[in-house]
């Protein structure tokens, strides 16, 4: 399959070169206007100096010269302020060439630039869908030049950072016996069993499974990718083609998983045509084909939960240890379809007849097939014949994504051995068989998913300058798209009845005088099918003012070190339905099923039936959610543009969030039926400052650039329906991401201390070594009413987030590094690695457990074989600060510039680079932060790359 896909790739590449060459026969080398000063904004581009909204942009073509990656939004938080994966704490709309698409639908080396639109005034033209911020990804296009070919090859290795540290079988057995003793129960393992397990002379009878060993895992995995870009054009036609291949294997090497791999082929072709002197057109076509081959079974889930001696289970039954005198055992071996390495049968237990390891070894494979096709067609008409500066543009796009699986499933038998010792030698006396070996020659089609998006954009633009000073712009935009998701019922619950729709009419008016005084108005008329018929349309106005102080004489004449200084301010009120999570929420409903109807018997008591009852009340006045926002901005540069400082202060109020609670309605709204409606009640506030600081200079052949970006962020619940008994538990007045939990006060040291403390109501019998919690409300009981706010969890944005990037260049050698950090939020160590209870696998955190001898130094509660709900509550005991800094990339690049190839008619330039990704985490909790539990490990990536232009 991989070889066939490679052949397809080279055929497509050859066709692309042929088409590109034919389109570029007229090799007129007419210089093109530089677009370095242009920034993509909503439905167009403007000069960077005329941006008065909170917009940040990156030239990706330049970035790739010193920082290689493939993911489209790679490490954006190190380069753009206010972006943390969210924009100002909210998930943005991703647009690729103006169309709502996934960030994974485009690779970084296909991209020309990325713009991040943060404030409400900048996103208003996109209607409801863009009301949380927008990321504009613009792909590369051809230019008027001779045919050029750019080639890039990368190959690298992924090296795991860290694995969880679990105890071996003998350690586990001894400590589990201790847990049983703590609970007053009999020990499970004898000293002989523990001794034989530790000795390891017969690991099949006394297993000690280490899933993070060389038996299952490689030291590293690898990835390679190849990209070819073809571009050029003449006055009439410009073209850009990108063909990319990528392949990586997997760190697992057990069974079928030894062949796990991902393969992808990406083909993009963007063509721009000048049809007449007044009419231009463009077509873009993209095909993405991804094949994933992987074994059945959840290895990483098993690795984090399966005890090392789980009821004496071992995945293999050694054939050479079968009783040679037992003919039945030899017949089993002879008839088995699964003799592993010629030495083993598959092991099993009555309680574990199949398992993840045997699945990986014998049950077949799964192949995921992803296919994405994207197509744009657009036309732009210059209507200056009607009036100067007028133009019209229309675009239509179709996107299709399918995913399905091809599976090969084989039934298999497992065996549980019965061990005996004969003449001092351990042999298997008998085997208990579970299941049967089978054969299968047919693949089957499994998981099925389908996405379809249709987008339409029509816009009328006007831009003109009067008397050299008065710059006017206007825009009328119709923007709409419909996205439909479908799946088979077993995959993701089936298809959605209602597609996602965004429909709006946007309008823009802008004026500036001498690029000094600015006035902008953006707005839209938005439509929502989620609301009642008389409430489905709304108007979203925004206004922005700007003043370039650096053009005033009191600055120009007295502060020559100031190159640019502009202050801006905006107000916006955007209407959106993104926070209305469903259709018909305004309507009441009735029913006699799903718990809505009550059962009533007839008077004779012999029979009865369900009656229809209300499940929800109606609200014909349900309306949009509002984003009301005030923003103040500053953009400046100093000392010959060597220092740049930009900042934005924002305050957002999200008003009218839906609520449906009983505390605001009389009690008779519930009872025999539920008449509570959805209504616009909740309100949230987000405030913050994002900032960008850059230093750059050049001294002879040496230059440097230091960039620092960041955001200080806070949020607050302004209004929310709640009915807590104690005010300290109210969410109103607290951050949106407030974590609540208990205040731990150490361990109980004696039964007397337990008896004299408030009663803790989490279940089970308290004993010395259990966690003690504060009775906050002093009512003599510790329960949910004693939970208090403990801090931010940073789910949307941390109180402080920041990024840094550094470029050092000397002649043809470039050094680049970047990183990002967060500060001010907390987390809880509450996964199974830390919350070891019952039959859970034991990790190394239990080694410093509470015992009578370690009572004063213990850092972990006493061991218990029960669920121990008391000890495993979110509390200050398990809390940690998530402050961290990540060194995300370091790259060295050496470019052989054009001067090296002056006498070459083929090669124009070449370069080589080495880079490392995800290299370091600096934090008090570094070990935990670099370790994944229940999933594949985090990796450092070391890469060698080569580029050439022809």
């Amino acid at each position: 399959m991989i070889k066939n896909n490679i052949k397809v790739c080279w055929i497509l590449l050859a066709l692309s070169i042929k088409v590109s060459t034919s389109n570029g026969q007229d090799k007129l080398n007419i210089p093109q206007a530089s677009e370095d000063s242009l920034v993509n904004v909503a439905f167009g581009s403007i000069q960077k100096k005329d941006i008065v909204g909170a917009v940040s942009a990156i030239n990706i073509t330049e970035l790739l010269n010193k920082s290689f990656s493939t993911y489209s939004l790679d490490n954006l938080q190190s380069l753009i302020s206010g972006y943390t994966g969210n924009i100002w704490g909210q998930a943005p709309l991703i647009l690729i060439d103006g169309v709502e698409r996934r960030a994974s639908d485009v690779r970084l080396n296909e991209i020309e630039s990325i713009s991040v639109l943060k404030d409400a005034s900048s996103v208003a033209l996109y209607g409801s869908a863009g009301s949380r911020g927008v990321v504009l990804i613009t792909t590369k296009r051809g230019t008027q030049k001779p045919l050029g070919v750019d080639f890039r090859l990368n190959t690298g290795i992924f090296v795991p950072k860290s694995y969880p540290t679990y105890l071996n079988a003998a350690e586990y057995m001894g400590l589990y016996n201790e847990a049983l003793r703590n609970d007053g129960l009999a020990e499970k393992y004898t000293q002989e069993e523990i001794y034989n397990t530790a000795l390891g002379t017969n690991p099949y009878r006394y297993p000690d499974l280490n899933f993070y060993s060389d038996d299952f895992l490689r030291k590293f995995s690898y990835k390679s990718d190849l990209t070819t870009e073809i571009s050029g054009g003449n006055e009439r036609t410009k073209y850009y083609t990108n063909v990319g291949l990528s392949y990586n294997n997997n760190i697992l090497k057990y069974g079928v998983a030894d062949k796990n791999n991902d393969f992808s082929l990406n083909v993009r072709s963007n063509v721009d045509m000048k049809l007449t002197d007044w009419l231009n057109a463009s077509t873009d076509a993209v095909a993405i084909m991804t094949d994933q081959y992987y074994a059945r079974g959840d290895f990483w889930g098993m690795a984090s939960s399966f005890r090392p001696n789980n009821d004496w289970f071992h995945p293999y039954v050694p054939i050479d240890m079968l009783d040679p005198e037992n003919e039945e055992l030899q017949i089993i071996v002879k008839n088995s379809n699964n003799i592993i390495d010629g030495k083993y049968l598959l092991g099993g237990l009555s309680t574990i007849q199949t398992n993840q390891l045997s699945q990986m070894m014998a049950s077949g494979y799964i192949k995921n097939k992803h296919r994405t096709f994207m197509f744009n067609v657009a036309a732009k008409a210059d209507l200056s014949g009607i009036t100067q500066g007028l133009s019209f543009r229309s675009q239509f796009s179709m996107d299709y994504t399918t995913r399905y699986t091809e599976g090969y499933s084989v039934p298999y038998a497992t065996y549980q051995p019965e061990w005996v010792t004969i003449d001092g030698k351990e042999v298997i006396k008998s085997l208990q068989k579970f299941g049967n070996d089978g054969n299968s020659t047919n693949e089957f089609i499994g998981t099925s998913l389908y996405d379809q998006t249709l987008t339409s954009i029509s816009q009328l633009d006007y831009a003109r300058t009067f008397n050299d000073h008065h710059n006017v712009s206007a825009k009328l935009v119709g923007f709409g798209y419909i996205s439909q998701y479908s799946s088979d019922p077993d995959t993701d619950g089936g298809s959605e009845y209602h597609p996602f729709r965004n429909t709006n009419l946007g309008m823009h008016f802008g004026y500036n005088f001498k690029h000094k005084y600015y006035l902008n108005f953006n707005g839209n008329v938005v439509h929502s099918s989620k609301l009642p018929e008389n409430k489905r349309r709304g108007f979203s106005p925004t206004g922005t003012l700007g003043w370039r102080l650096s053009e005033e004489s009191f600055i120009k004449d007295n502060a020559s070190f100031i190159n640019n200084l502009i202050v801006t301010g905006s107000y916006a009120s955007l209407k959106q339905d993104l926070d209305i999570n469903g259709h018909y929420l305004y309507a009441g409903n009735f029913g006699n099923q799903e718990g809505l109807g009550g059962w009533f018997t007839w008077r004779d008591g012999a029979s009865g039936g369900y009656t229809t009852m209300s499940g929800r009340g109606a609200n014909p006045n349900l309306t949009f959610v509002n984003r009301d926002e005030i923003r103040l901005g500053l953009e400046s540069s100093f000392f010959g543009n060597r220092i740049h400082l930009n900042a934005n202060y924002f305050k957002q109020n999200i008003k009218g969030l839906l609520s449906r609670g009983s505390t605001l309605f009389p009690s008779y709204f519930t009872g025999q039926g539920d008449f509570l409606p959805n209504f616009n009640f909740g309100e949230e506030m987000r405030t913050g400052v994002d900032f960008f600081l850059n230093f750059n200079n050049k001294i002879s052949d040496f230059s440097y650039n230091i960039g620092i970006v960041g955001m200080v962020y806070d949020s607050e619940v302004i209004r929310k329906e709640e009915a807590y008994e104690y005010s300290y538990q109210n969410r109103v007045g607290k951050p949106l991401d407030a974590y609540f939990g208990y205040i731990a006060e150490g361990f109980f040291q004696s039964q007397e201390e337990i008896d004299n403390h408030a009663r803790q109501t989490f279940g089970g019998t308290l004993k010395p070594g259990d966690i003690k919690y504060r009775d906050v409300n002093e009512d003599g009981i510790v329960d949910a009413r004693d939970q208090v706010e403990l801090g931010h969890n940073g789910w949307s944005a941390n109180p402080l987030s920041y990024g840094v990037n550094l470029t050092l260049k000397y002649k043809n050698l470039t050094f680049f590094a970047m990183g990002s950090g967060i500060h001010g939020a907390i987390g809880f160590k509450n996964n199974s690695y830390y919350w070891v209870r019952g039959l859970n696998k034991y990790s190394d955190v239990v080694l410093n457990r509470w015992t009578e001898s370690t009572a004063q130094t213990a850092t972990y509660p006493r061991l218990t074989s029960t669920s121990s709900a008391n000890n495993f509550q979110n509390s200050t005991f398990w809390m940690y600060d998530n402050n961290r800094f990540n060194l995300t990339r370091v790259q060295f690049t050496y470019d052989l510039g054009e001067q090296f190839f002056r006498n070459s008619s083929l090669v124009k330039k070449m370069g080589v680079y080495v880079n490392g990704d995800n290299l370091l985490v600096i934090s008090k909790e570094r070990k935990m932060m670099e370790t994944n539990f229940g999933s594949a490990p985090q990796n450092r990536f070391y890469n060698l790359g080569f580029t050439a232009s022809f």
Side-chain angles (χ1 to χ4, degrees), residues 291-420:
D291 292 341
Q292 299 172 312
Y293 179 100
Y294 57 93
R296 296 176 178 278
D298 179 11
F299 173 83
W300 299 109
M302 186 176 186
S304 65
S305 61
F306 205 80
R307 288 164 291 155
N309 68 329
N310 202 86
D311 294 332
W312 309 115
F313 167 84
H314 196 281
Y316 293 150
V317 176
I319 294 174
D320 62 358
M321 299 186 77
L322 297 176
D323 184 356
E325 304 299 325
N326 190 328
E327 186 176 346
E328 292 182 1
L329 298 182
Q330 306 308 315
I331 293 174
I332 289 175
V333 173
K334 183 178 180 180
N335 293 330
S336 175
N337 291 348
N338 293 297
I339 304 299
I340 310 303
D341 295 335
K343 302 177 181 179
Y344 308 105
L345 296 170
L346 292 174
L349 300 177
S350 59
T351 54
I352 313 174
Q353 297 185 17
T354 61
N355 60 84
Q356 310 300 333
L357 295 180
S358 59
Q359 290 281 91
M360 294 169 64
M361 185 61 68
S363 71
Y365 58 81
I366 296 174
K367 292 187 285 187
N368 262 344
K369 305 283 188 175
H370 296 255
R371 302 291 183 263
T372 297
F373 302 95
M374 299 181 289
F375 180 74
N376 302 337
V377 60
K380 182 176 181 179
D382 182 354
L383 303 180
S384 58
I386 300 175
T387 183
Q388 184 180 343
L390 186 65
S391 64
F392 177 78
R393 184 179 185 275
S394 183
Q395 176 178 325
F396 180 74
S397 303
M398 296 183 294
D399 294 357
Y400 297 93
T401 297
T402 62
R403 193 192 95 190
Y404 64 94
T405 60
E406 295 176 0
Y408 185 75
S409 181
V410 183
Y412 58 90
T414 60
Y415 302 89
Q416 179 175 349
E418 180 185 356
W419 293 89
V420 295

Side-chain angles (χ1 to χ4, degrees), residues 284-295:
D284 307 339
V286 180
I288 305 172
M289 291 165 277
T290 301
D291 292 341
Q292 299 172 312
Y293 179 100
Y294 57 93

Side-chain angles (χ1 to χ4, degrees), residues 365-513:
Y365 58 81
I366 296 174
K367 292 187 285 187
N368 262 344
K369 305 283 188 175
H370 296 255
R371 302 291 183 263
T372 297
F373 302 95
M374 299 181 289
F375 180 74
N376 302 337
V377 60
K380 182 176 181 179
D382 182 354
L383 303 180
S384 58
I386 300 175
T387 183
Q388 184 180 343
L390 186 65
S391 64
F392 177 78
R393 184 179 185 275
S394 183
Q395 176 178 325
F396 180 74
S397 303
M398 296 183 294
D399 294 357
Y400 297 93
T401 297
T402 62
R403 193 192 95 190
Y404 64 94
T405 60
E406 295 176 0
Y408 185 75
S409 181
V410 183
Y412 58 90
T414 60
Y415 302 89
Q416 179 175 349
E418 180 185 356
W419 293 89
V420 295
T421 302
I422 301 177
D423 297 330
K425 182 180 180 181
E426 294 179 326
V427 297
I428 298 172
K429 178 182 179 181
S430 64
L431 292 172
Q432 183 179 358
K433 181 181 179 181
F434 308 107
N436 293 291
D437 288 334
N439 293 298
S440 177
T441 58
N442 297 320
E443 289 188 331
F444 69 88
I445 302 298
T447 301
S448 178
L449 301 173
Y450 175 77
D451 278 307
Q452 171 186 285
T453 301
L454 302 177
T455 305
S456 177
I457 303 172
S458 296
Q459 61 186 88
L460 189 66
D461 291 277
Y462 179 76
R464 190 170 178 179
T465 300
F466 296 90
N467 298 326
D468 295 328
H469 298 323
H470 303 279
N471 302 292
V472 178
S473 63
K475 196 182 300 284
L476 186 65
V477 180
F479 175 55
Y481 68 92
I482 180 171
S483 182
Q484 181 71 58
Y485 173 81
S486 304
S487 74
D488 61 81
D490 295 333
T491 300
D492 199 18
S495 303
E496 298 174 347
Y497 179 75
H498 280 282
F500 177 85
R501 287 183 173 91
N502 181 85
T503 306
N504 72 285
L505 178 66
M507 56 205 72
H508 158 79
F509 173 78
Y511 169 79
N512 76 72
F513 177 71

